[in-house]
């Protein structure tokens, strides 16, 4: 969800105004994901590198996460969405940790869209965590499945389509293990301007891509 800061800057607004607008874009995209029967959506909401930002922006984002849990929990339940958090949340305030855990618990029985929110997430540390957990459980050679079972995304399918808004063509330490065979979709549109139409175009791109997984041809 890249481009919130630039969206705000263009309008001479503080960066947090861009994140607030980004949250509105997110609400629209979640509705579209349900409409188009997507099983899982994973959002990169806060990376391990985002701590380097000015404290004003970090505090603003933490407040936004906290306030959106207050305002959205009932809607998430009504829409049968289950929420999971990817990342180490122990660094957040006790209050925010409790809110996040309670949101995850309250939505855990929901059977509709799976919404993963990456918070204080970094793929390299996730992979390291998984390796360390796996070697504690098993001696000798590790298999791919030993690692996948210890990622935050355990029991989830690999990513089919990765969308990055905001014009940068890089992965920024996001789900590096899980995107080994993903289709990558980069769009210049800033996240707050990312519309349902843009989302559907990304889905068309995915639908029209022949996925080979290293073979000559795979039928979708
Ligand atoms: C990247 O844009 C965006 C973020 C670091 C924050 C994304 C968070 C939201 C959209 C709010 C989501 C809320 C919940 C509850 C999941 P940027 O700030 O790097 O933009 P820039 O590249 O233009 O500076």
């Amino acid at each position: 969800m890249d481009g919130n800061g630039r969206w705000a800057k263009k309008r001479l607004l503080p960066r947090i105004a861009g994140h607030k607008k980004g949250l509105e874009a997110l609400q629209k995209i979640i509705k579209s994901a349900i409409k188009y029967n997507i099983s899982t959506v994973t959002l990169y909401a806060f990376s391990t590198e985002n701590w380097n930002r000015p404290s004003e922006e970090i505090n603003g984002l933490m407040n936004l996460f906290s306030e959106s849990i207050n305002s959205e929990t009932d809607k998430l339940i009504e829409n049968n969405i289950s929420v999971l958090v990817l990342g180490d949340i122990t660094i957040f305030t006790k209050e925010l940790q409790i809110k996040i855990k309670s949101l995850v618990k309250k939505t855990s029985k929901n059977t509709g869209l799976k919404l993963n929110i990456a918070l204080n997430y970094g793929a390299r540390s996730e992979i390291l965590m998984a390796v360390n957990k796996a070697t504690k459980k098993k001696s000798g050679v590790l298999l791919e499945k030993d690692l996948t079972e210890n990622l935050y995304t355990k029991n989830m399918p690999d990513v089919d389509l990765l969308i990055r808004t905001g014009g940068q063509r890089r992965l920024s330490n996001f789900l590096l293990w899980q995107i080994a065979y993903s289709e990558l979709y980069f769009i210049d549109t800033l996240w707050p301007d990312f519309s349902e139409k843009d989302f559907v175009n990304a889905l068309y791109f995915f639908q029209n891509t022949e996925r080979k997984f290293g073979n000559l041809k795979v039928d979708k």
Side-chain angles (χ1 to χ4, degrees):
M1 300 186 286
D2 201 9
N4 296 346
R6 278 166 286 161
W7 184 94
K9 196 174 172 201
K10 272 195 192 169
R11 291 161 179 80
L12 306 178
L13 293 169
R15 291 178 60 85
I16 194 65
H19 295 310
K20 285 187 181 155
K21 196 72 188 170
L23 182 59
E24 287 175 26
L26 176 55
Q27 288 160 333
K28 279 189 255 162
I29 297 309
I30 291 173
K31 279 195 195 135
S32 307
I34 295 173
K35 181 168 154 192
Y36 292 101
N37 240 337
I38 310 290
S39 70
T40 311
V41 171
T42 303
L43 312 161
Y44 207 178
F46 196 87
S47 75
T48 44
E49 289 74 30
N50 286 152
W51 293 109
N52 297 324
R53 296 191 175 200
S55 56
E56 190 188 341
E57 182 173 356
I58 293 176
N59 293 337
L61 275 168
M62 295 302 141
N63 285 337
L64 193 60
F65 297 145
S66 177
E67 284 163 15
S68 58
I69 294 178
N70 293 344
S71 62
E72 303 303 308
T73 300
D74 288 349
K75 283 185 233 163
L76 290 163
I77 294 170
E78 274 164 32
N79 286 287
N80 199 21
I81 297 171
S82 67
V83 178
L84 214 65
V85 169
L86 318 182
D88 177 13
I89 62 163
T90 58
I91 195 159
F92 296 142
T93 61
K94 273 272 165 306
E95 196 194 345
L96 184 54
Q97 288 182 50
I98 291 168
K99 276 193 183 185
I100 292 171
K101 283 183 194 159
S102 146
L103 171 67
V104 171
K105 194 161 174 229
K106 280 184 190 160
T107 63
S108 65
K109 299 250 166 9
N110 293 346
T111 55
L113 177 72
K114 292 185 177 65
L115 184 67
N116 299 326
I117 308 175
L119 283 175
N120 189 31
Y121 175 87
R124 286 186 175 180
S125 48
E126 180 189 30
I127 293 168
L128 268 178
M129 171 194 77
V131 171
N132 286 321
K133 281 189 180 173
T135 48
K136 265 196 193 146
K137 293 181 197 163
K138 180 182 171 180
S139 58
V141 176
L142 294 182
L143 305 174
E144 279 195 13
K145 101 175 174 15
D146 298 313
L147 206 127
T148 48
E149 278 169 5
N150 287 290
L151 294 168
Y152 293 120
T153 51
K154 60 176 169 270
N155 305 323
M156 288 180 209
D158 272 353
V159 174
D160 287 316
L161 170 66
L162 178 140
I163 302 172
R164 180 173 187 150
T165 59
Q168 309 293 343
R169 271 105 179 116
R170 56 174 173 254
L171 302 171
S172 300
N173 206 13
F174 190 49
L175 300 176
L176 297 182
W177 179 275
Q178 300 87 336
I179 60 165
Y181 288 100
S182 300
E183 301 303 327
L184 307 180
Y185 188 82
F186 298 104
I187 178 168
D188 290 340
T189 306
L190 304 176
W191 174 255
D193 293 326
F194 190 71
S195 64
E196 173 163 6
K197 189 165 173 281
D198 294 322
F199 184 55
V200 171
N201 283 340
L203 299 180
Y204 277 137
F205 158 82
F206 175 76
Q207 201 170 44
N208 294 321
T209 309
E210 190 184 336
R211 305 189 80 200
K212 295 184 177 168
F213 298 97
N215 288 330
L216 289 180
K217 187 170 170 38
V218 172
D219 292 325
K220 272 202 283 181

